[in-house]
Amino acid sequence: AWVSMGIVASDRWPIRWLEVNGSFQRVSAEQLRASMAPLIDASFFTIDLQEMNDAAGRISWVSSVKVQKRWPDTVSVSIEEFKPIAHWNRGRLVSDRGEAFAVPEADGIQGLPWLQGPDARLDDVLETWVSFNEQLQPLGLEVEYLAVDKRGSWSLEFTNGTQVYLGRDSTDERLQRLLSSWDALMEEQEVPPRDIDLRYTNGFAVAWPRDGEENTRNGS
């Protein structure tokens, strides 16, 4: 009946306003409008909100989309962006909600730690990263790179360049062994160790940089 009366015709109840909302840190309002403007050539009753939702969701950095109609001639679009907290393997990042996502410029983003491991272990790697940083904080140390391989062997690198090998078992206990010895280890030392191997039943092995050698960042 509405069709026969012309109520749903696009020229009778056209969409005149497209409102876009969001924090717009990495996605621009203009970019969002450009992707959705061609889709509003419809009436208030016939516009496809799911199509608009899908179009916004295909934009890099968009985490979630909410599309609503407001009578009589407005469509409102609200987006949330991913907030990256770390790199995850190559070409991907991890959001503050623990989601892995891909954007073209992912590997070039500076100032984020690098996490690496099988995709199925993302939650485990994130939990371990947070736990290790909490343990390191009193000594002024921080994880720059953390990895677990397919065999379950852990390794990490501090922001000062020290690479640490923990192995597969008793990782927290082994890290604590290092932390309890850190002050003594650094006594009268001008630079931090280059490598520390904790894969021993008791104790650990330490390698220091040679004269003139600087610690280099691993994982990037």
Side-chain angles (χ1 to χ4, degrees):
W2 283 14
V3 171
S4 64
M5 295 169 61
I7 290 178
V8 296
S10 61
D11 59 346
R12 180 157 187 176
W13 300 105
I15 298 297
R16 301 184 186 279
W17 302 100
L18 175 61
E19 293 183 353
V20 294
N21 304 286
S23 59
F24 299 122
Q25 299 296 311
R26 298 181 183 272
V27 179
S28 69
E30 292 75 17
Q31 182 183 13
L32 187 60
R33 285 182 181 277
S35 69
M36 306 185 76
L39 304 176
I40 65 173
D41 187 19
S43 77
F44 185 87
F45 298 100
T46 62
I47 190 166
D48 191 334
L49 299 186
Q50 185 59 53
E51 187 179 22
M52 297 190 71
N53 185 92
D54 294 343
R58 287 192 290 268
I59 299 174
S60 294
W61 291 101
V62 171
S63 171
S64 65
V65 185
K66 184 178 182 180
V67 183
Q68 295 177 304
K69 295 188 291 186
R70 281 213 315 272
W71 180 262
D73 57 4
T74 301
V75 172
S76 175
V77 182
S78 299
I79 66 162
E80 290 187 9
E81 298 181 17
F82 287 111
K83 298 178 181 177
I85 59 172
H87 292 276
W88 175 242
N89 295 325
R90 287 291 179 179
R92 288 189 289 173
L93 301 166
V94 183
S95 75
D96 58 348
R97 296 180 179 178
E99 308 162 293
F101 66 99
V103 292
E105 65 272 31
D107 288 350
I109 295 176
Q110 302 294 315
L112 298 177
W114 289 78
L115 308 179
Q116 184 174 321
D119 286 338
R121 299 200 63 175
L122 172 58
D123 290 345
D124 189 19
V125 174
L126 282 173
E127 183 179 344
T128 301
W129 171 56
V130 172
S131 174
F132 282 3
N133 271 333
E134 289 176 348
Q135 297 177 64
L136 293 166
Q137 185 177 12
L139 294 175
L141 300 173
E142 187 176 354
V143 175
E144 175 75 4
Y145 170 78
L146 175 66
V148 59
D149 63 23
K150 294 180 180 180
R151 297 175 299 172
S153 183
W154 292 85
S155 60
L156 63 148
E157 183 176 326
F158 300 153
T159 51
N160 65 9
T162 299
Q163 300 181 45
V164 180
Y165 305 95
L166 293 170
R168 290 184 294 178
D169 304 315
S170 307
T171 53
D172 277 324
E173 179 183 332
R174 290 175 177 178
L175 183 63
Q176 281 300 319
R177 187 192 310 161
L178 170 61
L179 299 185
S180 63
S181 306
W182 184 259
D183 288 340
L185 193 65
M186 290 300 299
E187 189 173 348
E188 298 183 1
Q189 296 291 337
E190 296 182 357
V191 295
R194 184 188 65 196
D195 300 288
I196 299 176
D197 192 343
L198 290 153
R199 295 171 294 186
Y200 295 89
T201 304
N202 297 298
F204 51 86
V206 180
W208 297 91
R210 297 190 182 97
D211 291 343
E213 178 185 356
E214 295 182 359
N215 285 1
T216 57
R217 184 183 182 282
N218 186 21
S220 64

